[in-house]
């Protein structure tokens, strides 16, 4: 199992509205990967994304249930309540996307959930699939989020997916997947096959980030 991650704010922006965390729970042999994108039209995008990742991880680590799906579900709900409970005048009303991968890495299956328009991609057998679905609707040519952390009556679904030897999973914000639309699939396939995964990841993020039009965040996990 290999993983690498990268995040950078949009050019000229003082604070990154994206956040990521990757944690290996060694005793349980579980890898947790998180990407969050604070909603720019709401206050304190940087704080919302940071809280989304850090509170999820805290809640997951100290969950009472031994059932993995229950732990994820409860951690998301706890995190949403935490964001909704923000009372500072500066940050009240903040919101964030969240993409989650939880993988007991001695197994061939991982759990995932994506809320908002951050995405999860699976690259396997030279095929790139976006396994998540954006929680968005279009109004006058603009996309608006329908689900996000910081929303009352939040709706989300936790899924399970097989992961075979050599498969690549990416969690990313919209700043990543919009940066190189034309060549992204081919670049991800090349990354999944790279002999030097770390070097290939750094080369990919360097090239993609030069074309970013937003905060830019990606976590890549490869089995094998």
């Amino acid at each position: 199992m290999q993983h690498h991650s990268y995040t950078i704010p949009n050019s000229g922006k003082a604070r990154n509205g994206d956040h990521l965390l990757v944690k290996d729970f060694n005793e349980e042999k579980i890898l947790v990967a998180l990407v969050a994108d604070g909603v720019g039209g709401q206050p304190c995008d940087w704080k919302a994304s940071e809280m989304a990742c850090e509170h999820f991880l805290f809640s997951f680590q100290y969950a009472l249930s031994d059932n993995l799906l229950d732990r994820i579900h409860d951690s998301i709900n706890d995190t949403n309540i935490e964001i909704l409970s923000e009372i500072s005048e500066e940050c009240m009303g903040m919101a964030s996307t969240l993409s989650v991968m939880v993988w007991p890495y001695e197994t061939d299956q991982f759990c995932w959930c994506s809320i908002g328009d951050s995405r999860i991609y699976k690259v396997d057998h030279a095929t790139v699939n976006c396994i998540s679905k954006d929680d968005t609707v279009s109004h006058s040519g603009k996309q608006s989020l329908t689900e996000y952390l910081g929303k009352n009556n939040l709706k989300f679904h936790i899924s399970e997916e097989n992961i075979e030897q050599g498969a690549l999973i990416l969690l990313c914000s919209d700043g990543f997947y919009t940066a190189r639309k034309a060549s992204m699939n081919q670049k991800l396939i090349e990354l999944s096959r790279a002999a030097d995964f770390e070097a290939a990841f750094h080369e990919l993020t360097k090239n993609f980030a030069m074309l970013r039009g937003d905060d830019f965040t990606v976590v890549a996990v490869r089995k094998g």
Side-chain angles (χ1 to χ4, degrees):
M1 179 261 293
Q2 301 166 285
H3 61 83
H4 296 287
S5 56
Y6 182 79
T7 185
I8 189 172
N10 195 13
S11 180
K13 188 175 178 183
R15 301 193 75 160
N16 193 345
D18 290 355
H19 199 77
L20 67 85
L21 281 176
V22 182
K23 171 72 172 178
D24 184 350
F25 291 91
N26 293 298
E27 292 186 0
E28 295 185 271
K29 299 190 182 305
I30 292 175
L31 183 77
V32 177
L34 305 163
V35 165
D37 179 358
V39 178
Q42 302 297 109
C44 299
D45 59 348
W46 57 271
K47 185 174 182 179
S49 61
E50 181 180 298
M51 186 180 293
C53 292
E54 293 187 353
H55 194 81
F56 177 94
L57 199 63
F58 176 85
S59 182
F60 183 85
Q61 183 170 358
Y62 295 104
L64 297 177
S65 176
D66 292 327
N67 181 278
L68 202 56
L69 294 177
D70 288 343
R71 286 175 72 177
I72 298 168
H73 183 275
D74 293 347
S75 298
I76 291 173
N77 278 332
D78 288 348
T79 303
N80 190 50
I81 291 169
E82 188 75 7
I83 291 175
L84 280 168
S85 300
E86 177 64 39
I87 60 172
S88 69
E89 185 176 346
E90 177 188 9
C91 295
M92 187 183 297
M94 63 185 181
S96 180
T97 72
L98 181 66
S99 288
V100 179
M101 175 189 185
V102 178
W103 177 27
Y105 49 80
E106 290 190 336
T107 74
D108 297 324
Q109 195 169 58
F110 67 95
C111 304
W112 64 270
C113 180
S114 191
I115 299 166
D117 63 353
S118 294
R119 292 181 179 176
I120 303 178
Y121 289 87
K122 180 182 177 184
V123 186
D124 197 14
H125 301 298
T127 301
V128 179
N129 289 309
C130 182
I131 61 175
S132 61
K133 182 178 179 181
D134 294 351
D135 294 315
T136 59
V137 293
S138 180
H139 293 293
S140 303
K142 294 184 178 181
Q143 297 293 316
S144 299
L145 295 180
T146 56
E147 301 295 335
Y148 50 85
L149 295 179
K151 178 188 175 186
N152 287 305
N153 301 314
L154 174 66
K155 297 180 178 64
F156 60 90
H157 178 71
I158 302 165
S159 300
E160 295 177 284
E161 186 89 12
N162 290 331
I163 179 169
E164 298 180 4
Q165 193 75 5
L168 176 70
I169 308 299
L170 286 101
L171 292 77
C172 56
S173 66
D174 57 354
F176 175 86
Y177 65 73
T178 58
R180 291 291 294 269
K181 289 181 179 178
S183 61
M184 189 179 81
N185 281 13
Q186 183 57 39
K187 295 296 183 183
L188 295 187
I189 291 169
E190 291 172 5
L191 177 63
S192 72
R193 294 172 167 176
D196 189 336
F197 184 59
E198 181 176 8
F201 177 81
H202 290 313
E203 183 67 19
L204 179 144
T205 52
K206 181 181 73 173
N207 291 335
F208 274 39
M210 287 191 296
L211 298 176
R212 70 189 186 280
D214 201 347
D215 301 327
F216 175 103
T217 300
V218 59
V219 175
V221 180
R222 186 169 72 172
K223 181 177 181 180

